[in-house]
Amino acid sequence: VAWSEGSVLEMPIGGTQVDLIVDQGIAAVQTGEIAFAGGKVQLSPQIDLRSDQPVLYIDNKRILDNVELTPETARTMLKYINPLAADATSAQGQFSIDSEGIKVPLMDPMQMEANAIITLHNVVVGAGPIAEQLIGSAKQLQTLLRPDKVNDRDYNTWLKMSEQSVPVNVKNGRVYHDGIKFSHDDILVRTKGSVGLDQTVDMVAEIPIADDWLGGNEYLSGLQGQSISIPITGTVSKPVLDRSAIANFSRQMAQKAASSAINKAVQDKLAPKLNEYQNQLNEKIGGEVSKLQNKFQSQIQDKLQEQIGGQLQQNLGDALKQQFGNAAQNRLGEVLKIPGAGSADSATPANPTSNVEEKLIQGIGNLFNRN
């Protein structure tokens, strides 16, 4: 089969020759590279004809390479992958599609199954219905955070989609994607979810809070790095955004601001006082503990001295008894008795020291039976 030129989905396709080889119920379609919308397409599928329901298969390969993005390609093809590009009034850039396995029942193509990687090559599109509403929500969010900042964005300007590769999965009549990003000025939006082949939408758009939106407000610092999630339903041409997400975020923002204000008041006012009271309490507790330690230490020392002194005295008595006997101990005690010096019975003052020495010598001599 051959043709010189034509169009597919309102997009131009170049001429080529297609060879069809059927062997045992399997048709191999050899297309080669075909010029298509500024890029090229290469399908080369196989068709299983062995049942009443023929199925087309495409293996792992690049099937679209650097196809030019126009309002027509965005409207007819890319809207199922990136509905933000649907109904774009203008479009620039290219996109490629790498197949990771495609299965299409030819009698019921809506039940196709596919895994692919979509690569966007610096795509820029005019804002469609979904993008316009998302940017409007982002503007509302920014106004909540920075009432003092004048926002004069023109929402008819283009949306930028930097170079990115997005996994895409097709099953049960829906095209699922995860993580398409586009930006407009300082607004960044990430989307994930699915678009039905019937053009119904079931997605979530995440709008990260830019640091500039907080304006250095210390009460909103808890929002740094946070995102607001906005569910999107409806259809590609008539999307419906869940407006309650903005209201819920406003309540969350107020709670975080109040919490930050309270924490700051505590840090600025109460924390120094609490530290002062804590220091005073520590000093008082430390003084009482020192007193108790000193008291216990004194009592323990007295008790030890009493017990040790008594024990020493008992040990000395036991030693004397063992060495000299009880009689010698008693005799020594009698000998050491010294009458009062300088008593009224004495004619002359006595010498206490001399008497003690004489008595001690005499007593020791008598103790050992010596003169």
Side-chain angles (χ1 to χ4, degrees):
V1 179
W3 62 85
S4 57
E5 62 180 10
S7 65
V8 176
L9 300 176
E10 302 181 11
M11 293 173 286
I13 186 169
T16 189
Q17 176 178 315
V18 177
D19 296 326
L20 179 64
I21 301 174
V22 180
D23 184 15
Q24 297 183 3
I26 303 296
V29 183
Q30 300 175 357
T31 61
E33 292 184 353
I34 305 173
F36 177 67
K40 53 188 178 181
V41 58
Q42 184 176 8
L43 299 177
S44 298
Q46 287 188 337
I47 304 175
D48 190 344
L49 304 171
R50 292 173 295 182
S51 68
D52 295 337
Q53 301 292 329
V55 179
L56 180 146
Y57 295 92
I58 298 178
D59 294 332
N60 296 6
K61 64 181 66 178
R62 173 156 290 193
I63 57 177
L64 290 178
D65 186 26
N66 286 297
V67 172
E68 193 74 24
L69 184 64
T70 64
E72 289 76 19
T73 53
R75 182 173 64 253
T76 57
M77 295 183 61
L78 201 58
K79 69 179 179 183
Y80 294 106
I81 302 165
N82 181 10
L84 298 176
D87 298 330
T89 56
S90 55
Q92 293 181 359
Q94 297 83 31
F95 68 95
S96 302
I97 300 179
D98 291 280
S99 167
E100 294 187 337
I102 298 175
K103 174 184 176 181
V104 183
L106 295 181
M107 305 302 293
D108 189 7
M110 298 291 284
Q111 296 303 315
M112 68 178 297
E113 297 179 3
N115 293 303
I117 301 294
I118 309 301
T119 302
L120 303 176
H121 305 290
N122 298 315
V123 171
V124 182
V125 298
I130 294 181
E132 287 180 352
Q133 293 192 49
L134 282 175
I135 295 174
S137 297
K139 177 185 177 182
Q140 182 181 357
L141 176 61
Q142 188 182 41
T143 302
L144 288 172
L145 297 171
R146 289 287 304 273
D148 59 322
K149 186 174 182 179
V150 177
N151 194 324
D152 55 356
R153 289 188 178 88
D154 178 8
Y155 298 112
N156 292 322
T157 56
W158 290 9
L159 307 176
K160 296 180 180 180
M161 302 180 192
S162 59
E163 184 85 12
Q164 56 188 290
S165 296
V166 183
V168 173
N169 176 256
V170 183
K171 62 180 179 179
N172 300 325
R174 303 196 67 81
V175 181
Y176 296 85
H177 73 275
D178 187 3
I180 291 181
K181 298 180 290 186
F182 77 89
S183 62
H184 175 71
D185 290 344
D186 59 349
I187 294 175
L188 176 65
V189 179
R190 295 189 295 261
T191 66
K192 61 181 179 180
S194 67
V195 178
L197 298 179
D198 59 357
Q199 301 193 31
T200 57
V201 176
D202 183 12
M203 297 194 323
V204 174
E206 293 184 351
I207 303 175
I209 306 300
D211 292 345
D212 180 63
W213 298 4
L214 303 178
N217 190 330
E218 57 185 347
Y219 298 130
L220 298 178
S221 59
L223 298 176
Q224 190 171 13
Q226 300 295 315
S227 299
I228 179 173
S229 297
I230 303 177
I232 304 173
T233 55
T235 64
V236 172
S237 58
K238 294 182 179 179
V240 178
L241 274 65
D242 186 355
R243 300 295 181 181
S244 64
I246 299 295
N248 293 335
F249 182 82
S250 298
R251 286 193 293 269
Q252 179 186 1
M253 181 183 68
Q255 292 172 356
K256 286 185 177 292
S259 177
S260 298
I262 292 173
N263 290 336
K264 187 176 186 304
V266 169
Q267 292 296 325
D268 293 346
K269 303 296 182 182
L270 296 182
K273 286 294 182 183
L274 290 175
N275 291 335
E276 180 181 350
Y277 295 151
Q278 184 67 43
N279 293 335
Q280 293 177 358
L281 180 61
N282 290 340
E283 291 178 1
K284 188 171 183 179
I285 292 175
E288 294 298 327
V289 169
S290 297
K291 290 180 182 178
L292 290 174
Q293 287 177 342
N294 294 335
K295 181 178 180 180
F296 289 151
Q297 184 176 4
S298 177
Q299 291 178 352
I300 291 172
Q301 288 177 348
D302 293 343
K303 190 68 175 177
L304 288 174
Q305 289 177 357
E306 179 181 350
Q307 292 180 352
I308 293 173
Q311 187 67 36
L312 288 175
Q313 184 177 3
Q314 181 179 353
N315 292 343
L316 180 59
D318 293 342
L320 288 173
K321 288 180 182 180
Q322 182 178 2
Q323 186 70 30
F324 302 110
N326 293 333
Q329 182 183 6
N330 294 335
R331 188 174 181 184
L332 177 61
E334 293 177 357
V335 168
L336 291 177
K337 291 181 180 178
I338 302 173
S343 63
D345 297 335
S346 179
T348 59
N351 187 341
T353 303
S354 177
N355 288 339
V356 170
E357 292 177 352
E358 292 176 358
K359 292 293 183 179
L360 183 60
I361 294 171
Q362 181 181 356
I364 293 174
N366 294 334
L367 180 64
F368 294 98
N369 294 320
R370 295 178 182 177
N371 293 327

